[in-house]
Amino acid sequence: MSRVLIIGGHGKIALRLAPLLVERGDVVTSVIRNPEHQDEVAATGALPLVADVEQLDTDGLTSLLDGQDAVVWSAGAGGGNPERTYAVDRDAAVRSMDAAKAAGVPRYVMVSYLGAGPDHGVPEDNSFFAYAEAKAAADEHLRASTLDYTILQPGPLTMDEPTGLIEVVNPGDGRVSRADVAAVAAAVLADDSTVGQTIPFGNGGTPIAEAVAGG
């Protein structure tokens, strides 16, 4: 049994991840900004915790993370507003990593995207630029940390039914169902061989646990 805290607990991936973790015996806390989402989150078996990670400083986030074994970052500003994108996807994410270290939470799983990195190639006049920059900075901060991290890089997300099958070697455009992204997050939390790995993936033909083993 592990105590797992999901940041961005009302997101479409998080709502699918929580029941997977609860079913296998983990104790899940899902952080949400909107108190109106508490019932929907509670229905997953997770404990809803209302907190605005955009507003919390590192000390506040450290208190939030105290006593957890792992944190999954599945939050996002949702695009459209560059200032808020940097505030959430970069700054709050970075603070959460520093807080995890301060709170003694060893394990950190970041949901990023396929192609993320300093060489993302997104033009500055593209509406996606702020998100690409923010994720690149957050992912690099995580890699430089002492946390036992895994960075997930799914491609375009769909609402398709889960297949349980992915491709990590040649994922193409990486198109993948959100339910399968959730299953990948659950799988890497249970597999220490994924620590220190960045895993690009999309739906494919290999069972998830097999595909992620050893990165």
PDB file of all heavy atoms in Angstrom, residues 12-37:
ATOM      1  N   LYS A  12      -9.155  14.737 -16.514  1.00  0.00           N
ATOM      2  CA  LYS A  12      -9.677  13.507 -17.127  1.00  0.00           C
ATOM      3  C   LYS A  12      -8.759  12.310 -16.907  1.00  0.00           C
ATOM      4  O   LYS A  12      -9.218  11.174 -16.821  1.00  0.00           O
ATOM      5  CB  LYS A  12      -9.927  13.745 -18.617  1.00  0.00           C
ATOM      6  CG  LYS A  12     -11.066  14.720 -18.903  1.00  0.00           C
ATOM      7  CD  LYS A  12     -11.280  14.877 -20.401  1.00  0.00           C
ATOM      8  CE  LYS A  12     -12.488  15.763 -20.698  1.00  0.00           C
ATOM      9  NZ  LYS A  12     -12.253  17.166 -20.276  1.00  0.00           N
ATOM     10  N   ILE A  13      -7.450  12.549 -16.849  1.00  0.00           N
ATOM     11  CA  ILE A  13      -6.520  11.448 -16.561  1.00  0.00           C
ATOM     12  C   ILE A  13      -6.604  11.070 -15.092  1.00  0.00           C
ATOM     13  O   ILE A  13      -6.697   9.894 -14.734  1.00  0.00           O
ATOM     14  CB  ILE A  13      -5.085  11.829 -16.953  1.00  0.00           C
ATOM     15  CG1 ILE A  13      -4.961  11.946 -18.478  1.00  0.00           C
ATOM     16  CG2 ILE A  13      -4.087  10.792 -16.430  1.00  0.00           C
ATOM     17  CD1 ILE A  13      -3.638  12.522 -18.954  1.00  0.00           C
ATOM     18  N   ALA A  14      -6.598  12.068 -14.222  1.00  0.00           N
ATOM     19  CA  ALA A  14      -6.616  11.810 -12.783  1.00  0.00           C
ATOM     20  C   ALA A  14      -7.868  11.056 -12.350  1.00  0.00           C
ATOM     21  O   ALA A  14      -7.806  10.167 -11.486  1.00  0.00           O
ATOM     22  CB  ALA A  14      -6.514  13.126 -12.028  1.00  0.00           C
ATOM     23  N   LEU A  15      -9.015  11.404 -12.938  1.00  0.00           N
ATOM     24  CA  LEU A  15     -10.256  10.719 -12.577  1.00  0.00           C
ATOM     25  C   LEU A  15     -10.233   9.251 -12.983  1.00  0.00           C
ATOM     26  O   LEU A  15     -10.999   8.435 -12.432  1.00  0.00           O
ATOM     27  CB  LEU A  15     -11.453  11.416 -13.230  1.00  0.00           C
ATOM     28  CG  LEU A  15     -11.823  12.793 -12.658  1.00  0.00           C
ATOM     29  CD1 LEU A  15     -12.896  13.450 -13.519  1.00  0.00           C
ATOM     30  CD2 LEU A  15     -12.292  12.675 -11.208  1.00  0.00           C
ATOM     31  N   ARG A  16      -9.381   8.895 -13.916  1.00  0.00           N
ATOM     32  CA  ARG A  16      -9.223   7.494 -14.325  1.00  0.00           C
ATOM     33  C   ARG A  16      -8.093   6.806 -13.558  1.00  0.00           C
ATOM     34  O   ARG A  16      -8.120   5.591 -13.370  1.00  0.00           O
ATOM     35  CB  ARG A  16      -8.978   7.423 -15.841  1.00  0.00           C
ATOM     36  CG  ARG A  16     -10.222   7.761 -16.650  1.00  0.00           C
ATOM     37  CD  ARG A  16      -9.907   8.203 -18.066  1.00  0.00           C
ATOM     38  NE  ARG A  16     -11.138   8.410 -18.836  1.00  0.00           N
ATOM     39  CZ  ARG A  16     -11.916   9.485 -18.731  1.00  0.00           C
ATOM     40  NH1 ARG A  16     -11.587  10.465 -17.905  1.00  0.00           N
ATOM     41  NH2 ARG A  16     -13.017   9.598 -19.456  1.00  0.00           N
ATOM     42  N   LEU A  17      -7.116   7.595 -13.123  1.00  0.00           N
ATOM     43  CA  LEU A  17      -5.999   7.030 -12.361  1.00  0.00           C
ATOM     44  C   LEU A  17      -6.412   6.666 -10.941  1.00  0.00           C
ATOM     45  O   LEU A  17      -6.042   5.593 -10.445  1.00  0.00           O
ATOM     46  CB  LEU A  17      -4.841   8.039 -12.332  1.00  0.00           C
ATOM     47  CG  LEU A  17      -3.657   7.708 -11.415  1.00  0.00           C
ATOM     48  CD1 LEU A  17      -3.028   6.375 -11.809  1.00  0.00           C
ATOM     49  CD2 LEU A  17      -2.635   8.836 -11.465  1.00  0.00           C
ATOM     50  N   ALA A  18      -7.149   7.533 -10.281  1.00  0.00           N
ATOM     51  CA  ALA A  18      -7.478   7.307  -8.869  1.00  0.00           C
ATOM     52  C   ALA A  18      -8.104   5.942  -8.610  1.00  0.00           C
ATOM     53  O   ALA A  18      -7.650   5.214  -7.718  1.00  0.00           O
ATOM     54  CB  ALA A  18      -8.372   8.432  -8.353  1.00  0.00           C
ATOM     55  N   PRO A  19      -9.136   5.540  -9.366  1.00  0.00           N
ATOM     56  CA  PRO A  19      -9.728   4.229  -9.073  1.00  0.00           C
ATOM     57  C   PRO A  19      -8.786   3.058  -9.328  1.00  0.00           C
ATOM     58  O   PRO A  19      -8.885   2.029  -8.658  1.00  0.00           O
ATOM     59  CB  PRO A  19     -10.957   4.169  -9.991  1.00  0.00           C
ATOM     60  CG  PRO A  19     -10.795   5.258 -10.980  1.00  0.00           C
ATOM     61  CD  PRO A  19      -9.920   6.285 -10.370  1.00  0.00           C
ATOM     62  N   LEU A  20      -7.878   3.206 -10.269  1.00  0.00           N
ATOM     63  CA  LEU A  20      -6.892   2.140 -10.508  1.00  0.00           C
ATOM     64  C   LEU A  20      -6.004   1.952  -9.286  1.00  0.00           C
ATOM     65  O   LEU A  20      -5.689   0.823  -8.895  1.00  0.00           O
ATOM     66  CB  LEU A  20      -6.020   2.477 -11.724  1.00  0.00           C
ATOM     67  CG  LEU A  20      -6.713   2.586 -13.082  1.00  0.00           C
ATOM     68  CD1 LEU A  20      -5.701   2.962 -14.161  1.00  0.00           C
ATOM     69  CD2 LEU A  20      -7.422   1.283 -13.448  1.00  0.00           C
ATOM     70  N   LEU A  21      -5.592   3.073  -8.677  1.00  0.00           N
ATOM     71  CA  LEU A  21      -4.735   3.002  -7.501  1.00  0.00           C
ATOM     72  C   LEU A  21      -5.504   2.504  -6.292  1.00  0.00           C
ATOM     73  O   LEU A  21      -5.012   1.665  -5.523  1.00  0.00           O
ATOM     74  CB  LEU A  21      -4.141   4.380  -7.216  1.00  0.00           C
ATOM     75  CG  LEU A  21      -3.273   4.989  -8.323  1.00  0.00           C
ATOM     76  CD1 LEU A  21      -2.789   6.376  -7.913  1.00  0.00           C
ATOM     77  CD2 LEU A  21      -2.085   4.084  -8.656  1.00  0.00           C
ATOM     78  N   VAL A  22      -6.723   3.003  -6.123  1.00  0.00           N
ATOM     79  CA  VAL A  22      -7.548   2.588  -4.984  1.00  0.00           C
ATOM     80  C   VAL A  22      -7.835   1.090  -5.049  1.00  0.00           C
ATOM     81  O   VAL A  22      -7.766   0.377  -4.036  1.00  0.00           O
ATOM     82  CB  VAL A  22      -8.860   3.399  -4.954  1.00  0.00           C
ATOM     83  CG1 VAL A  22      -9.830   2.816  -3.937  1.00  0.00           C
ATOM     84  CG2 VAL A  22      -8.568   4.864  -4.637  1.00  0.00           C
ATOM     85  N   GLU A  23      -8.111   0.607  -6.247  1.00  0.00           N
ATOM     86  CA  GLU A  23      -8.455  -0.811  -6.422  1.00  0.00           C
ATOM     87  C   GLU A  23      -7.316  -1.723  -5.996  1.00  0.00           C
ATOM     88  O   GLU A  23      -7.555  -2.831  -5.492  1.00  0.00           O
ATOM     89  CB  GLU A  23      -8.820  -1.083  -7.890  1.00  0.00           C
ATOM     90  CG  GLU A  23      -9.305  -2.487  -8.161  1.00  0.00           C
ATOM     91  CD  GLU A  23      -9.721  -2.698  -9.619  1.00  0.00           C
ATOM     92  OE1 GLU A  23      -9.858  -1.711 -10.355  1.00  0.00           O
ATOM     93  OE2 GLU A  23      -9.903  -3.868  -9.999  1.00  0.00           O
ATOM     94  N   ARG A  24      -6.088  -1.260  -6.171  1.00  0.00           N
ATOM     95  CA  ARG A  24      -4.969  -2.122  -5.778  1.00  0.00           C
ATOM     96  C   ARG A  24      -4.510  -1.877  -4.336  1.00  0.00           C
ATOM     97  O   ARG A  24      -3.517  -2.446  -3.887  1.00  0.00           O
ATOM     98  CB  ARG A  24      -3.810  -1.968  -6.749  1.00  0.00           C
ATOM     99  CG  ARG A  24      -3.029  -0.684  -6.664  1.00  0.00           C
ATOM    100  CD  ARG A  24      -2.029  -0.628  -7.793  1.00  0.00           C
ATOM    101  NE  ARG A  24      -1.116   0.505  -7.691  1.00  0.00           N
ATOM    102  CZ  ARG A  24      -0.355   0.925  -8.684  1.00  0.00           C
ATOM    103  NH1 ARG A  24      -0.417   0.317  -9.857  1.00  0.00           N
ATOM    104  NH2 ARG A  24       0.470   1.945  -8.525  1.00  0.00           N
ATOM    105  N   GLY A  25      -5.231  -1.019  -3.629  1.00  0.00           N
ATOM    106  CA  GLY A  25      -4.983  -0.863  -2.204  1.00  0.00           C
ATOM    107  C   GLY A  25      -4.247   0.396  -1.799  1.00  0.00           C
ATOM    108  O   GLY A  25      -3.949   0.586  -0.610  1.00  0.00           O
ATOM    109  N   ASP A  26      -3.935   1.281  -2.746  1.00  0.00           N
ATOM    110  CA  ASP A  26      -3.285   2.533  -2.403  1.00  0.00           C
ATOM    111  C   ASP A  26      -4.285   3.499  -1.766  1.00  0.00           C
ATOM    112  O   ASP A  26      -5.486   3.434  -2.021  1.00  0.00           O
ATOM    113  CB  ASP A  26      -2.677   3.196  -3.643  1.00  0.00           C
ATOM    114  CG  ASP A  26      -1.511   2.401  -4.217  1.00  0.00           C
ATOM    115  OD1 ASP A  26      -0.921   1.596  -3.470  1.00  0.00           O
ATOM    116  OD2 ASP A  26      -1.196   2.580  -5.409  1.00  0.00           O
ATOM    117  N   VAL A  27      -3.772   4.385  -0.944  1.00  0.00           N
ATOM    118  CA  VAL A  27      -4.574   5.454  -0.358  1.00  0.00           C
ATOM    119  C   VAL A  27      -4.324   6.704  -1.188  1.00  0.00           C
ATOM    120  O   VAL A  27      -3.197   7.196  -1.260  1.00  0.00           O
ATOM    121  CB  VAL A  27      -4.190   5.700   1.110  1.00  0.00           C
ATOM    122  CG1 VAL A  27      -4.979   6.866   1.679  1.00  0.00           C
ATOM    123  CG2 VAL A  27      -4.421   4.438   1.940  1.00  0.00           C
ATOM    124  N   VAL A  28      -5.361   7.199  -1.823  1.00  0.00           N
ATOM    125  CA  VAL A  28      -5.213   8.268  -2.806  1.00  0.00           C
ATOM    126  C   VAL A  28      -5.855   9.557  -2.305  1.00  0.00           C
ATOM    127  O   VAL A  28      -7.006   9.546  -1.854  1.00  0.00           O
ATOM    128  CB  VAL A  28      -5.840   7.869  -4.162  1.00  0.00           C
ATOM    129  CG1 VAL A  28      -5.661   8.991  -5.188  1.00  0.00           C
ATOM    130  CG2 VAL A  28      -5.215   6.579  -4.669  1.00  0.00           C
ATOM    131  N   THR A  29      -5.110  10.647  -2.407  1.00  0.00           N
ATOM    132  CA  THR A  29      -5.636  11.982  -2.154  1.00  0.00           C
ATOM    133  C   THR A  29      -5.564  12.761  -3.456  1.00  0.00           C
ATOM    134  O   THR A  29      -4.506  12.811  -4.095  1.00  0.00           O
ATOM    135  CB  THR A  29      -4.818  12.710  -1.075  1.00  0.00           C
ATOM    136  OG1 THR A  29      -4.839  11.941   0.134  1.00  0.00           O
ATOM    137  CG2 THR A  29      -5.374  14.090  -0.814  1.00  0.00           C
ATOM    138  N   SER A  30      -6.668  13.334  -3.868  1.00  0.00           N
ATOM    139  CA  SER A  30      -6.715  14.085  -5.122  1.00  0.00           C
ATOM    140  C   SER A  30      -6.919  15.563  -4.818  1.00  0.00           C
ATOM    141  O   SER A  30      -7.934  15.957  -4.227  1.00  0.00           O
ATOM    142  CB  SER A  30      -7.851  13.579  -6.021  1.00  0.00           C
ATOM    143  OG  SER A  30      -7.537  12.303  -6.557  1.00  0.00           O
ATOM    144  N   VAL A  31      -5.937  16.372  -5.220  1.00  0.00           N
ATOM    145  CA  VAL A  31      -5.990  17.812  -4.976  1.00  0.00           C
ATOM    146  C   VAL A  31      -6.802  18.483  -6.077  1.00  0.00           C
ATOM    147  O   VAL A  31      -6.530  18.284  -7.277  1.00  0.00           O
ATOM    148  CB  VAL A  31      -4.574  18.408  -4.926  1.00  0.00           C
ATOM    149  CG1 VAL A  31      -4.637  19.929  -4.728  1.00  0.00           C
ATOM    150  CG2 VAL A  31      -3.765  17.758  -3.809  1.00  0.00           C
ATOM    151  N   ILE A  32      -7.782  19.274  -5.671  1.00  0.00           N
ATOM    152  CA  ILE A  32      -8.649  19.962  -6.622  1.00  0.00           C
ATOM    153  C   ILE A  32      -8.767  21.426  -6.204  1.00  0.00           C
ATOM    154  O   ILE A  32      -8.651  21.768  -5.032  1.00  0.00           O
ATOM    155  CB  ILE A  32     -10.054  19.322  -6.694  1.00  0.00           C
ATOM    156  CG1 ILE A  32     -10.679  19.216  -5.292  1.00  0.00           C
ATOM    157  CG2 ILE A  32      -9.980  17.949  -7.354  1.00  0.00           C
ATOM    158  CD1 ILE A  32     -12.100  18.704  -5.275  1.00  0.00           C
ATOM    159  N   ARG A  33      -9.005  22.285  -7.171  1.00  0.00           N
ATOM    160  CA  ARG A  33      -9.130  23.720  -6.893  1.00  0.00           C
ATOM    161  C   ARG A  33     -10.571  24.107  -6.597  1.00  0.00           C
ATOM    162  O   ARG A  33     -10.838  25.011  -5.807  1.00  0.00           O
ATOM    163  CB  ARG A  33      -8.593  24.503  -8.096  1.00  0.00           C
ATOM    164  CG  ARG A  33      -8.448  25.995  -7.877  1.00  0.00           C
ATOM    165  CD  ARG A  33      -7.569  26.606  -8.953  1.00  0.00           C
ATOM    166  NE  ARG A  33      -8.119  26.404 -10.278  1.00  0.00           N
ATOM    167  CZ  ARG A  33      -8.849  27.294 -10.935  1.00  0.00           C
ATOM    168  NH1 ARG A  33      -9.140  28.458 -10.378  1.00  0.00           N
ATOM    169  NH2 ARG A  33      -9.292  27.043 -12.149  1.00  0.00           N
ATOM    170  N   ASN A  34     -11.514  23.434  -7.242  1.00  0.00           N
ATOM    171  CA  ASN A  34     -12.921  23.796  -7.152  1.00  0.00           C
ATOM    172  C   ASN A  34     -13.649  22.875  -6.169  1.00  0.00           C
ATOM    173  O   ASN A  34     -13.764  21.667  -6.415  1.00  0.00           O
ATOM    174  CB  ASN A  34     -13.553  23.695  -8.540  1.00  0.00           C
ATOM    175  CG  ASN A  34     -14.973  24.232  -8.585  1.00  0.00           C
ATOM    176  OD1 ASN A  34     -15.624  24.394  -7.554  1.00  0.00           O
ATOM    177  ND2 ASN A  34     -15.465  24.496  -9.786  1.00  0.00           N
ATOM    178  N   PRO A  35     -14.166  23.414  -5.068  1.00  0.00           N
ATOM    179  CA  PRO A  35     -14.870  22.554  -4.100  1.00  0.00           C
ATOM    180  C   PRO A  35     -16.098  21.864  -4.672  1.00  0.00           C
ATOM    181  O   PRO A  35     -16.539  20.837  -4.148  1.00  0.00           O
ATOM    182  CB  PRO A  35     -15.256  23.525  -2.973  1.00  0.00           C
ATOM    183  CG  PRO A  35     -15.145  24.893  -3.552  1.00  0.00           C
ATOM    184  CD  PRO A  35     -14.109  24.822  -4.623  1.00  0.00           C
ATOM    185  N   GLU A  36     -16.634  22.385  -5.767  1.00  0.00           N
ATOM    186  CA  GLU A  36     -17.806  21.756  -6.378  1.00  0.00           C
ATOM    187  C   GLU A  36     -17.477  20.400  -7.006  1.00  0.00           C
ATOM    188  O   GLU A  36     -18.379  19.640  -7.355  1.00  0.00           O
ATOM    189  CB  GLU A  36     -18.408  22.683  -7.438  1.00  0.00           C
ATOM    190  CG  GLU A  36     -19.004  23.967  -6.866  1.00  0.00           C
ATOM    191  CD  GLU A  36     -19.602  24.858  -7.929  1.00  0.00           C
ATOM    192  OE1 GLU A  36     -19.604  24.456  -9.109  1.00  0.00           O
ATOM    193  OE2 GLU A  36     -20.083  25.954  -7.574  1.00  0.00           O
ATOM    194  N   HIS A  37     -16.207  20.101  -7.140  1.00  0.00           N
ATOM    195  CA  HIS A  37     -15.789  18.834  -7.750  1.00  0.00           C
ATOM    196  C   HIS A  37     -15.541  17.733  -6.713  1.00  0.00           C
ATOM    197  O   HIS A  37     -15.149  16.622  -7.083  1.00  0.00           O
ATOM    198  CB  HIS A  37     -14.513  19.045  -8.571  1.00  0.00           C
ATOM    199  CG  HIS A  37     -14.699  19.921  -9.763  1.00  0.00           C
ATOM    200  ND1 HIS A  37     -13.671  20.646 -10.346  1.00  0.00           N
ATOM    201  CD2 HIS A  37     -15.807  20.203 -10.489  1.00  0.00           C
ATOM    202  CE1 HIS A  37     -14.145  21.335 -11.371  1.00  0.00           C
ATOM    203  NE2 HIS A  37     -15.432  21.075 -11.482  1.00  0.00           N
TER     204      HIS A  37
END
